[in-house]
Amino acid sequence: MGRVRVVGVGMVPFVTPSKSGSYDAMATAAVRKALTDAGLDLEQVQQAYAGFVYGDSTSGQRALYGVGMTGIPVVNVNNNCSTGSSALWLAAQAVGSGSVDCALAFGFEQMERGALAMKWSDRPSPFVDFMEVAQKRNGPSEAPFAAQLFGGAGAAYMEEHGTSPETFAMISVKARKHAGNNPYAVFRAPTTVEEVLASPRIFGPLTRLQCCPPTCGAAAAVIASEDFARRHGLKGDVAIAAQAMTTDQPDTFEDPKNLVGFSMAQRAADEVYEKAGVDPRDLRVVELHDCFTANELLSYEALRLTAPGTAEKFIRDGDNTYGGRVVTNPSGGLLSKGHPLGATGLAQCAELTWQLRGEAGARQVDDVRLALQHNIGLGGAAVVTLYQKVG
């Protein structure tokens, strides 16, 4: 995978559904930005992978045709909240295997207002088993299904480790502070622990300000081989050093935190660290999947950024932000940047590419040579990608 380069990235500002343009217009703009950043034309791209969750089939073609109709294969990808990273994984696989020299991954979402909900009532939901396990533990609830799963995992962690509600709220405060420096983020105004805790309770330790908002947006990345980048004089200094995708195993249903991807993420991260020969203590910046504050806290341990049971100390010591050990979600993360499902993983890719290039402006983390990305989709898929500055 070290021969695979991220040669161009682009995204549009994320917005709430009330302010959104159409999915195809957003995606077209993001793809054009990524191609311009790479210094390439669409005609030089050999395959494209389009990620979206809510939309009709072949929406990817509709979006890409706004840039050009070159006749290349376009694959539509849907892997819940890890959709964007799944598209990236496929593009990197195509380039890394030598099947193509240059591929495009792009993702978009035109979301509706309100919490995520099941779209089909006449067929089995992929979350039937997940909700059965969660409700056996937590009891029935009218809360949105994702909040029940992630809030239940947070509550279980609190029971085991005595974690305070304030600790979860501190993650939202940190997200807003980071997003204040991100012109692409939805929520840039600061907040306080008191305000977070006073917002309406959703489920378990989660209040409204600890849940990511429904968001619309698009992002894209151009992936190329090292040789292609060199031959075309492209920016080839950001490499995908290692990448892994994992899915559920039987242990998913044995622990509340595994219901929300803890064990999947841990296996993917361990595979990446082993492939790249990297210790997680070497990381200075991470974009991780903070759809809820509870998942950010759990992910610190799943990704081995801190030892089991020490996430509260990690947060309270400030080791998750500037001046600490590893800056998590300098973009503001899903909580504040927003979470347009199909675009999220590619927006994470863009942020980390800018960090490695030294182009992140006021968000820039010092001395970045390695950057880790973590994207979870329930039901399930976990994608972990390690980027490295080369050359």
Side-chain angles (χ1 to χ4, degrees):
M1 290 297 294
R3 298 188 304 275
V4 177
R5 300 289 190 263
V6 181
V7 297
V9 293
M11 62 182 291
V12 299
F14 289 177
V15 296
T16 58
S18 63
K19 299 178 181 178
S20 174
S22 65
Y23 75 87
D24 54 333
M26 292 186 291
T28 294
V31 169
R32 283 179 174 156
K33 286 186 175 186
L35 289 169
T36 298
D37 185 50
L40 293 172
D41 297 320
L42 184 61
E43 287 75 13
Q44 293 166 282
V45 174
Q46 296 161 293
Q47 290 182 3
Y49 298 89
F52 61 97
V53 176
Y54 296 113
D56 289 327
S57 185
T58 68
S59 290
Q61 280 88 333
R62 165 74 183 182
L64 191 59
Y65 290 171
V67 183
M69 300 176 70
T70 60
I72 60 172
V74 179
V75 179
N76 291 274
V77 182
N78 180 346
N79 236 2
N80 272 344
C81 299
S82 63
T83 289
S85 290
S86 297
L88 177 69
W89 182 82
L90 288 166
Q93 291 274 311
V95 171
S97 69
S99 297
V100 297
D101 293 317
C102 184
L104 171 69
F106 66 105
F108 52 87
E109 212 69 62
Q110 185 178 342
M111 295 185 72
E112 300 169 325
R113 287 183 168 188
L116 294 181
M118 297 297 100
K119 285 290 184 181
W120 307 100
S121 59
D122 62 342
R123 63 204 69 183
S125 164
F127 297 111
V128 167
D129 295 337
F130 291 78
M131 293 307 299
E132 181 179 337
V133 172
Q135 292 186 351
K136 277 184 179 177
R137 174 182 171 84
N138 302 316
S141 171
E142 296 300 316
F145 80 94
Q148 291 187 53
L149 291 169
F150 285 98
Y157 188 94
M158 290 178 74
E159 291 173 15
E160 182 177 359
H161 299 289
T163 313
S164 70
E166 289 78 12
T167 299
F168 289 93
M170 289 173 70
I171 293 172
S172 289
V173 173
K174 185 262 299 178
R176 288 290 189 95
K177 184 176 181 181
H178 289 185
N181 291 318
N182 188 358
Y184 294 99
V186 175
F187 294 135
R188 301 179 60 191
T191 190
T192 66
V193 167
E194 292 74 21
E195 288 170 337
V196 173
L197 293 176
S199 63
R201 185 158 301 280
I202 305 301
F203 193 87
L206 300 177
T207 62
R208 181 174 293 168
L209 292 182
Q210 298 182 59
C211 308
C212 68
T215 317
C216 304
V222 182
I223 309 301
S225 66
E226 179 183 12
D227 181 63
F228 182 93
R230 184 173 55 251
R231 285 189 284 112
H232 289 81
L234 308 181
K235 290 177 280 193
D237 56 344
V238 176
I240 295 181
Q243 192 174 44
M245 179 190 288
T246 56
T247 58
D248 292 300
Q249 291 184 342
D251 69 352
T252 291
F253 303 103
E254 297 170 1
D255 188 319
K257 68 177 183 286
N258 290 346
L259 282 178
V260 295
F262 184 97
S263 59
M264 283 197 302
Q266 191 166 75
R267 286 187 284 111
D270 287 349
E271 184 178 335
V272 161
Y273 296 143
E274 183 176 355
K275 283 180 179 176
V278 165
D279 190 303
R281 289 173 295 185
D282 297 332
L283 297 170
R284 292 281 299 122
V285 61
V286 175
E287 282 281 312
L288 58 79
H289 196 93
D290 62 327
C291 50
F292 298 89
T293 55
N295 202 49
E296 175 154 344
L297 183 147
L298 291 170
S299 297
Y300 295 150
E301 297 183 13
L303 300 175
R304 304 194 188 279
L305 304 180
T306 191
T310 66
E312 181 164 37
K313 184 177 188 302
F314 185 74
I315 294 164
R316 289 185 172 271
D317 287 351
D319 279 335
N320 61 347
T321 188
Y322 296 88
R325 195 169 62 75
V326 54
V327 181
T328 59
N329 295 332
S331 68
L334 286 59
L335 284 168
S336 293
K337 180 177 81 262
H339 184 24
L341 310 188
T344 289
L346 289 155
Q348 291 177 320
C349 172
E351 176 67 27
L352 295 178
T353 297
W354 292 326
Q355 289 285 345
L356 287 161
R357 290 180 183 168
E359 297 175 352
R363 304 186 308 283
Q364 186 64 51
V365 179
D366 294 335
D367 303 320
V368 179
R369 302 292 302 182
L370 297 167
L372 192 76
Q373 175 190 354
H374 159 255
N375 197 192
I376 285 283
L378 296 186
V383 184
V384 174
T385 305
L386 180 71
Y387 304 88
Q388 182 175 20
K389 185 175 180 64
V390 294

